[in-house]
Amino acid sequence: DTEVTQTPKHLVMGMTNKKSLKCEQHMGHRAMYWYKQKAKKPPELMFVYSYEKLSINESVPSRFSPECPNSSLLNLHLHALQPEDSALYLCASRRLAGEISETQYFGPGTRLLVL
Amino acid sequence: GQQVMQIPQYQHVQEGEDFTTYCNSSTTLSNIQWYKQRPGGHPVFLIQLVKSGEVKKQKRLTFQFGEAKKNSSLHITATQTTDVGTYFCAGPTPGSARQLTFGSGTQLTVLP
């Protein structure tokens, strides 16, 4: 099973709403990632969790709050977003084997529209 | 910081023509990965190259890693409409093998 799942597939929210994006993998991967992707641009790293601990935060605004409840799950809590936050949010996971750079497996993404 | 550039940014080809995208890094890479993203889809891993001068083939796709490990190319022979999408190269971010730095991508359109 090389699948990363994400819910919901689409999300429309107002600037005062609170919502959460969910990501799940059962490949035993111990690194999980959140990316933001705008149209026609490469994925832009937001957060990295290694062994369920936040290891990298790429200066993301506090209106985005990640959470890793266990080794299979990754959440992204959204609050008071701006219209410019509308994008495709991708989750990815990767097996950790020392510091060898290995493949990242991407989920299908959540298409977020902030009104 | 590290930069990974791809050219061309866009490419339109007639079905059956060949296509090549080039990836250039400002730093030496321990490895390079290639991903394909279909319109409306998500990045899907294609291949990883590790050795200097390495060449790998997947059916009509040929991947090369430069001798200096700073550049790479993806060549598609006799394109088909199923090849449509954006092709990204990605290399480990210096100082953090757990991060990838993605190239700017090449968007391929195949005209039937």
Side-chain angles (χ1 to χ4, degrees):
Chain A
D1 181 10
T2 57
E3 191 179 25
V4 177
T5 59
Q6 287 187 246
T7 55
K9 285 188 168 52
H10 301 274
L11 179 62
V12 180
M13 59 187 291
M15 289 189 284
T16 58
N17 292 157
K18 284 186 181 181
K19 296 286 184 184
S20 296
L21 309 184
K22 296 185 184 302
C23 173
E24 190 167 2
Q25 58 87 16
H26 294 287
M27 296 180 277
H29 291 176
R30 302 305 296 277
M32 296 186 77
Y33 302 74
W34 279 117
Y35 288 89
K36 174 183 178 181
Q37 187 179 31
K38 290 281 204 179
K40 301 188 189 301
K41 296 293 185 183
E44 184 183 325
L45 184 65
M46 299 175 73
F47 302 104
V48 182
Y49 273 83
S50 301
Y51 299 103
E52 296 86 67
K53 293 193 188 313
L54 184 65
S55 59
I56 296 171
N57 175 341
E58 290 290 323
S59 303
V60 179
S62 59
R63 57 185 184 269
F64 295 92
S65 175
E67 180 196 17
C68 190
N70 59 56
S71 60
S72 300
L73 294 174
L74 187 66
N75 298 322
L76 186 63
H77 303 297
L78 314 173
H79 173 56
L81 294 194
Q82 303 297 310
E84 59 265 28
D85 296 322
S86 299
L88 176 67
Y89 287 84
L90 293 161
C91 173
S93 72
R94 172 179 162 262
R95 185 170 71 98
L96 279 178
E99 288 301 314
I100 298 170
S101 180
E102 295 191 14
T103 306
Q104 291 188 20
Y105 293 90
F106 284 85
T110 294
R111 294 198 179 273
L112 174 66
L113 177 61
V114 181
L115 300 176
Chain B
Q2 178 191 49
Q3 290 189 349
V4 181
M5 302 300 295
Q6 274 183 260
I7 55 169
Q9 191 176 355
Y10 302 96
Q11 183 79 61
H12 293 75
V13 299
Q14 207 70 40
E15 189 173 16
E17 292 181 339
D18 292 356
F19 158 78
T20 304
T21 173
Y22 299 91
C23 179
N24 292 287
S25 170
S26 58
T27 60
T28 301
L29 301 168
S30 59
N31 68 83
I32 193 155
Q33 301 175 26
W34 284 91
Y35 292 79
K36 176 184 177 181
Q37 185 170 17
R38 293 180 185 272
H42 60 280
V44 174
F45 173 77
L46 294 177
I47 208 160
Q48 182 180 41
L49 304 172
V50 178
K51 298 176 185 174
S52 169
E54 189 170 13
V55 178
K56 286 189 176 179
K57 292 191 175 185
Q58 289 180 349
K59 297 183 180 178
R60 295 177 295 103
L61 277 60
T62 302
F63 303 84
Q64 290 190 329
F65 200 10
E67 294 289 343
K69 301 184 79 173
K70 294 182 72 173
N71 57 70
S72 181
S73 64
L74 158 58
H75 179 82
I76 303 178
T77 304
T79 54
Q80 300 175 358
T81 54
T82 53
D83 295 324
V84 165
T86 301
Y87 293 85
F88 293 102
C89 62
T93 302
S96 177
R98 298 177 182 182
Q99 283 182 248
L100 287 176
T101 298
F102 281 84
S104 43
T106 296
Q107 187 177 326
L108 173 64
T109 301
V110 180
L111 304 169

